[in-house]
Amino acid sequence: MHKIVRKEQLNPEICLVEMEAEDLSRAARAGQFVILRIDETGERFPLTLYNFDQDKGTVTVVCQAVGVSTKKLCALREGDSVLDIAGPLGHATDTENIGKVICIGGGVGTAEAYPIAKAMVEAGNDVTIIIGARSEEIVICEDDIKKFCDKCHITTDDGSYGRKGFVTDVLKELLEKDKYDQVFAIGPVIMMKMVSEMTRPYGVKTLVSLNSIMIDGTGMCGGCRVKFSGELKFTCVDGPEFDGHLVDFDDLMQRQTRYKVEEDEAMCHYKKQCKIGLGEGK
Amino acid sequence: MREQDPKKRIKNFNEVPYGYNEEEAIAEASRCLQCKKAPCVGGCPAEIDIPAFILAIKEKRFQDSIDIIKNTNTLPAVCGRVCPQEDQCEKECVLLKTGKPINIGSLERFAADWELENRGDEDVVAGAAAEGAKIAVIGGGPAGITCAADLAKKGYAVTMFEALHKPGGVLTYGIPEFRLPKDIVFKEVDSIKGLGVDIKLNYVIGRIKTIEQMREEGYKAFFIATGAGLPYFMGVDGENLNGVYSANEFLTRVNLMKAYKFPEYDTPVNVGKKVAVIGGGNVAMDSARCALRLNAEKVTVVYRRTEQEMPARLDEIHHAKEEGIAFHFLTSSLGIKGDEKGNVSSMSCLQNELGEPDDSGRRRPVPIEGSEFDMEMDTIIVAIGNGSNPLLLDSIDGLNVNRWGNIEADEKGQSSVEDIFAGGDIVTGAATVIAAMGAGKKAARGIDAYLKEKI
């Protein structure tokens, strides 16, 4: 059991959860993820780490309530516990000093881009950040990011905050004006695909952090397999970061839909449970 | 042994054989000749004193019976169900000549179940922490559990690290409920806590801690029993279509995550009407029989050789056939086709004939030219085995592995790094539960000898 020591609602959909996990907090590095299971009937689901604090012995995730498991997590309060956390999993981001870097976070992916951008700055890189969101209230982590990075661009789909448009609009301008050594993108699959397509003609190395459906997270199930340069790779043990120019995003997007029907059914069931008072949340 | 009727059992996940009642167990035990030389014992990798436990059943001393078994075997309720006794103890039984060897496995199951029933449901009281040297067992499957128990009995302070959220390894995620009920697995695994073993779940060694860090924390020896690893795929077109599973994913969803109780349990599994299972081992049989219970209309096992070459236990093949699983022998998959939504629609196949024997001694399948045909399918489960998982092994300096990535260990279970022992599937590649348990026993002796010499 991992006690929740801090819970913040960042916006109506996204919450931040800091949990006790001593050994995990010592081993975690930027770019790695954990597998959570909220309760005895719960799924195992992966979340990229937002923060880890060795002194406090805690790890923090930022979670968007979209399915049953994420809704369950967002419904918990400080003092409640999460049943299982396994990790850190996946390879950590290589955060050497490579020069001029652009980090892009889309939606809840902004929280996952945060530790990577921070580590990149700490390694001495010249980091520009682009945050993309549907609308103003979905923009997260802006204050945290501006603490260590003064080149921060924000775009919203509806123009309610920052610039109206997509992260790729800003990215294109940056790439036209200047030469960059690396682009890092984390967010919805379609965004990572568009970013990779945009950087390809400029020849800028582009890393993406994939969010495939997985169960164990240790290489055992193969559910998270992706097509990478014509080969099968497992997101959990080979990733989660891959060269975006070699990932078959269309294949990944198709695989991400494979439980759509069941996810809707599970949500219906969950809402019914909530109504009769068995579950928490909305 | 009495079993659930095939027509009924394909609609539930309850155990298939009912197990002996007292009367049946005593009757079976009374047939034992109590041979002085007891060849059956030589066939048992867990070294159980078989005639003694059978005699105890015959004399209604059921507690004695299970105590005798537990002297050497930590998981009797598991072994009584999933050991291939027909190739081990029962194969050596003197009565084999009469065509009716003693049903040793069923008697073992009886004794173990008797104790689990009479022990009640209270939690096992954790045993006192031992004062001997600290030992880390990495992997909570049959090899790890056996090794941990044997070392704890010798007075070592043993911690067993399991990557998943439940212990048991393949007993928990792989073997289905109807063959091995999970509450029995958990009760039996719990008993090692009583011996003083500390079980840490959700610990992925190699990620959360390295072997080197654990040495600094005072661990004097390691037993690596992380099991079979990454699932193999066929390498044909269409394997990423929706509806294609590795057997590992399919069985983990169904067994560990209880997808058969979806949506009461949150994890889904998607089984269509027409299911193909590729492969001929026990894992293929388990996958096929699970799919059938998840409302598939037709489940077909597609195997590239013939029934004679199938590695699955005879009992499992028999149960699968009884339940109406179809078999396509001498058939290989050439590729998988999908519809416009990316779901599986059919599988292209090829007919084989048997050629010369290969390295395994089994006759090699040779494709027949022009024999291609398509089978309509919407779910395909690939059960063709696993390769080694590099996650832990890559982080250990000086550890020798063979060309398949399996750890090289000597007859004592010792690897090329003196404080690291290994056993089970991570050494042998996919094998049986009992072989893994045997390796765990051997390594426990090896570690004991190593530490006695060292300290």
Side-chain angles (χ1 to χ4, degrees), chain B residues 376-404:
Chain B
E376 220 175 279
M377 290 292 164
D378 44 26
T379 304
I380 291 169
I381 301 166
V382 183
I384 56 172
N386 304 291
S388 149
N389 190 339
L391 196 144
L392 169 64
L393 310 191
D394 279 359
S395 69
I396 305 171
D397 284 340
L399 186 71
N400 289 349
V401 297
N402 66 17
R403 63 183 163 121
W404 296 283

Short mmCIF file of all heavy atoms in Angstrom, two decimals, chain B residues 376-404:
data_model
loop_
_atom_site.label_atom_id
_atom_site.label_comp_id
_atom_site.label_asym_id
_atom_site.label_seq_id
_atom_site.Cartn_x
_atom_site.Cartn_y
_atom_site.Cartn_z
N GLU B 376 -10.92 -18.40 -41.93
CA GLU B 376 -11.56 -17.22 -41.38
C GLU B 376 -11.35 -17.20 -39.86
O GLU B 376 -11.65 -18.19 -39.19
CB GLU B 376 -13.05 -17.30 -41.68
CG GLU B 376 -13.67 -15.97 -42.08
CD GLU B 376 -15.11 -16.16 -42.47
OE1 GLU B 376 -15.37 -16.57 -43.62
OE2 GLU B 376 -15.95 -15.93 -41.58
N MET B 377 -10.85 -16.10 -39.34
CA MET B 377 -10.55 -16.00 -37.91
C MET B 377 -10.77 -14.57 -37.45
O MET B 377 -10.64 -13.64 -38.24
CB MET B 377 -9.06 -16.33 -37.64
CG MET B 377 -8.68 -17.78 -37.84
SD MET B 377 -9.44 -18.80 -36.59
CE MET B 377 -9.24 -20.43 -37.36
N ASP B 378 -11.11 -14.38 -36.18
CA ASP B 378 -11.10 -13.00 -35.67
C ASP B 378 -10.21 -12.82 -34.45
O ASP B 378 -9.99 -11.70 -34.01
CB ASP B 378 -12.52 -12.47 -35.42
CG ASP B 378 -13.40 -13.47 -34.72
OD1 ASP B 378 -12.86 -14.34 -34.00
OD2 ASP B 378 -14.63 -13.40 -34.89
N THR B 379 -9.71 -13.92 -33.89
CA THR B 379 -8.76 -13.81 -32.78
C THR B 379 -7.65 -14.83 -33.00
O THR B 379 -7.94 -15.98 -33.35
CB THR B 379 -9.45 -14.10 -31.43
OG1 THR B 379 -10.56 -13.21 -31.28
CG2 THR B 379 -8.50 -13.91 -30.27
N ILE B 380 -6.43 -14.40 -32.79
CA ILE B 380 -5.30 -15.32 -32.96
C ILE B 380 -4.38 -15.20 -31.75
O ILE B 380 -3.98 -14.10 -31.35
CB ILE B 380 -4.54 -15.00 -34.27
CG1 ILE B 380 -5.46 -15.40 -35.45
CG2 ILE B 380 -3.21 -15.76 -34.34
CD1 ILE B 380 -5.01 -14.94 -36.78
N ILE B 381 -4.10 -16.35 -31.14
CA ILE B 381 -3.25 -16.37 -29.95
C ILE B 381 -1.97 -17.11 -30.31
O ILE B 381 -2.01 -18.27 -30.72
CB ILE B 381 -3.98 -17.05 -28.78
CG1 ILE B 381 -5.29 -16.31 -28.47
CG2 ILE B 381 -3.09 -17.10 -27.54
CD1 ILE B 381 -6.25 -17.06 -27.57
N VAL B 382 -0.86 -16.42 -30.16
CA VAL B 382 0.43 -16.98 -30.58
C VAL B 382 1.11 -17.61 -29.36
O VAL B 382 1.52 -16.91 -28.44
CB VAL B 382 1.33 -15.88 -31.19
CG1 VAL B 382 2.64 -16.47 -31.68
CG2 VAL B 382 0.61 -15.16 -32.32
N ALA B 383 1.19 -18.94 -29.36
CA ALA B 383 1.75 -19.67 -28.20
C ALA B 383 2.94 -20.48 -28.67
O ALA B 383 2.93 -21.72 -28.63
CB ALA B 383 0.68 -20.56 -27.58
N ILE B 384 3.97 -19.80 -29.15
CA ILE B 384 5.13 -20.51 -29.71
C ILE B 384 6.37 -20.32 -28.86
O ILE B 384 7.48 -20.54 -29.31
CB ILE B 384 5.40 -20.07 -31.17
CG1 ILE B 384 5.59 -18.54 -31.25
CG2 ILE B 384 4.25 -20.48 -32.07
CD1 ILE B 384 6.07 -18.06 -32.62
N GLY B 385 6.17 -19.90 -27.59
CA GLY B 385 7.31 -19.87 -26.67
C GLY B 385 7.82 -18.47 -26.38
O GLY B 385 7.29 -17.47 -26.87
N ASN B 386 8.85 -18.41 -25.53
CA ASN B 386 9.39 -17.14 -25.05
C ASN B 386 10.91 -17.14 -25.14
O ASN B 386 11.53 -18.18 -25.00
CB ASN B 386 9.02 -16.93 -23.57
CG ASN B 386 7.54 -17.00 -23.34
OD1 ASN B 386 6.78 -16.12 -23.76
ND2 ASN B 386 7.10 -18.07 -22.71
N GLY B 387 11.45 -15.95 -25.34
CA GLY B 387 12.91 -15.80 -25.27
C GLY B 387 13.28 -15.23 -23.92
O GLY B 387 12.42 -14.89 -23.13
N SER B 388 14.57 -15.13 -23.65
CA SER B 388 15.03 -14.65 -22.35
C SER B 388 14.75 -13.14 -22.21
O SER B 388 14.80 -12.40 -23.18
CB SER B 388 16.52 -14.95 -22.24
OG SER B 388 17.15 -14.00 -21.45
N ASN B 389 14.45 -12.71 -20.99
CA ASN B 389 14.19 -11.30 -20.71
C ASN B 389 15.49 -10.61 -20.30
O ASN B 389 16.09 -10.97 -19.30
CB ASN B 389 13.15 -11.19 -19.58
CG ASN B 389 12.64 -9.77 -19.41
OD1 ASN B 389 13.28 -8.82 -19.82
ND2 ASN B 389 11.48 -9.65 -18.82
N PRO B 390 15.94 -9.62 -21.07
CA PRO B 390 17.25 -9.00 -20.82
C PRO B 390 17.25 -8.01 -19.65
O PRO B 390 18.30 -7.55 -19.24
CB PRO B 390 17.51 -8.24 -22.13
CG PRO B 390 16.15 -7.90 -22.65
CD PRO B 390 15.24 -9.02 -22.21
N LEU B 391 16.06 -7.71 -19.12
CA LEU B 391 15.92 -6.60 -18.16
C LEU B 391 16.87 -6.69 -16.97
O LEU B 391 17.56 -5.74 -16.63
CB LEU B 391 14.46 -6.57 -17.69
CG LEU B 391 13.97 -5.31 -17.01
CD1 LEU B 391 12.51 -5.07 -17.39
CD2 LEU B 391 14.10 -5.41 -15.52
N LEU B 392 16.95 -7.85 -16.35
CA LEU B 392 17.86 -8.01 -15.20
C LEU B 392 19.27 -8.40 -15.65
O LEU B 392 20.25 -7.86 -15.18
CB LEU B 392 17.29 -9.07 -14.24
CG LEU B 392 18.23 -9.54 -13.13
CD1 LEU B 392 18.57 -8.39 -12.18
CD2 LEU B 392 17.61 -10.68 -12.35
N LEU B 393 19.33 -9.38 -16.58
CA LEU B 393 20.62 -9.99 -16.91
C LEU B 393 21.62 -8.98 -17.48
O LEU B 393 22.81 -9.05 -17.20
CB LEU B 393 20.42 -11.14 -17.91
CG LEU B 393 19.36 -12.17 -17.53
CD1 LEU B 393 19.45 -13.39 -18.43
CD2 LEU B 393 19.47 -12.60 -16.08
N ASP B 394 21.12 -8.02 -18.27
CA ASP B 394 22.00 -7.04 -18.89
C ASP B 394 22.73 -6.18 -17.86
O ASP B 394 23.77 -5.60 -18.16
CB ASP B 394 21.20 -6.10 -19.81
CG ASP B 394 20.93 -6.75 -21.16
OD1 ASP B 394 21.40 -7.90 -21.35
OD2 ASP B 394 20.26 -6.12 -22.00
N SER B 395 22.16 -6.09 -16.65
CA SER B 395 22.75 -5.20 -15.65
C SER B 395 23.80 -5.91 -14.78
O SER B 395 24.33 -5.32 -13.86
CB SER B 395 21.64 -4.62 -14.76
OG SER B 395 21.09 -5.64 -13.94
N ILE B 396 24.07 -7.20 -15.07
CA ILE B 396 25.01 -7.94 -14.22
C ILE B 396 26.33 -8.18 -14.95
O ILE B 396 26.36 -8.85 -15.98
CB ILE B 396 24.41 -9.29 -13.78
CG1 ILE B 396 23.06 -9.06 -13.10
CG2 ILE B 396 25.38 -10.02 -12.84
CD1 ILE B 396 22.29 -10.34 -12.82
N ASP B 397 27.40 -7.64 -14.41
CA ASP B 397 28.72 -7.84 -15.01
C ASP B 397 29.19 -9.28 -14.86
O ASP B 397 29.05 -9.87 -13.79
CB ASP B 397 29.76 -6.93 -14.32
CG ASP B 397 29.61 -5.49 -14.78
OD1 ASP B 397 29.02 -5.28 -15.85
OD2 ASP B 397 30.07 -4.60 -14.04
N GLY B 398 29.73 -9.82 -15.92
CA GLY B 398 30.39 -11.13 -15.83
C GLY B 398 29.45 -12.32 -15.86
O GLY B 398 29.89 -13.46 -15.70
N LEU B 399 28.16 -12.09 -16.08
CA LEU B 399 27.22 -13.21 -16.09
C LEU B 399 27.18 -13.83 -17.49
O LEU B 399 26.84 -13.15 -18.46
CB LEU B 399 25.82 -12.72 -15.69
CG LEU B 399 24.76 -13.80 -15.54
CD1 LEU B 399 25.04 -14.64 -14.29
CD2 LEU B 399 23.37 -13.20 -15.46
N ASN B 400 27.53 -15.10 -17.58
CA ASN B 400 27.52 -15.76 -18.88
C ASN B 400 26.13 -16.27 -19.25
O ASN B 400 25.47 -16.92 -18.45
CB ASN B 400 28.48 -16.96 -18.88
CG ASN B 400 29.93 -16.52 -18.84
OD1 ASN B 400 30.23 -15.33 -19.03
ND2 ASN B 400 30.83 -17.47 -18.59
N VAL B 401 25.72 -15.96 -20.46
CA VAL B 401 24.46 -16.50 -20.97
C VAL B 401 24.75 -17.23 -22.28
O VAL B 401 25.76 -16.98 -22.94
CB VAL B 401 23.42 -15.38 -21.22
CG1 VAL B 401 23.04 -14.67 -19.94
CG2 VAL B 401 23.92 -14.36 -22.24
N ASN B 402 23.87 -18.17 -22.64
CA ASN B 402 24.09 -18.91 -23.89
C ASN B 402 23.50 -18.13 -25.07
O ASN B 402 23.03 -17.02 -24.91
CB ASN B 402 23.52 -20.34 -23.79
CG ASN B 402 22.00 -20.33 -23.66
OD1 ASN B 402 21.33 -19.34 -23.95
ND2 ASN B 402 21.46 -21.45 -23.21
N ARG B 403 23.48 -18.77 -26.23
CA ARG B 403 23.08 -18.00 -27.42
C ARG B 403 21.59 -17.68 -27.44
O ARG B 403 21.13 -16.89 -28.25
CB ARG B 403 23.51 -18.72 -28.70
CG ARG B 403 22.88 -20.08 -28.91
CD ARG B 403 23.46 -20.71 -30.18
NE ARG B 403 23.21 -22.14 -30.22
CZ ARG B 403 22.53 -22.72 -31.20
NH1 ARG B 403 22.05 -22.02 -32.19
NH2 ARG B 403 22.34 -24.02 -31.17
N TRP B 404 20.81 -18.32 -26.58
CA TRP B 404 19.40 -17.95 -26.49
C TRP B 404 19.15 -16.91 -25.39
O TRP B 404 18.03 -16.56 -25.10
CB TRP B 404 18.53 -19.18 -26.23
CG TRP B 404 18.57 -20.16 -27.37
CD1 TRP B 404 17.91 -20.05 -28.56
CD2 TRP B 404 19.32 -21.36 -27.43
NE1 TRP B 404 18.22 -21.11 -29.36
CE2 TRP B 404 19.08 -21.94 -28.70
CE3 TRP B 404 20.20 -22.00 -26.55
CZ2 TRP B 404 19.68 -23.14 -29.10
CZ3 TRP B 404 20.79 -23.19 -26.94
CH2 TRP B 404 20.52 -23.74 -28.21
#
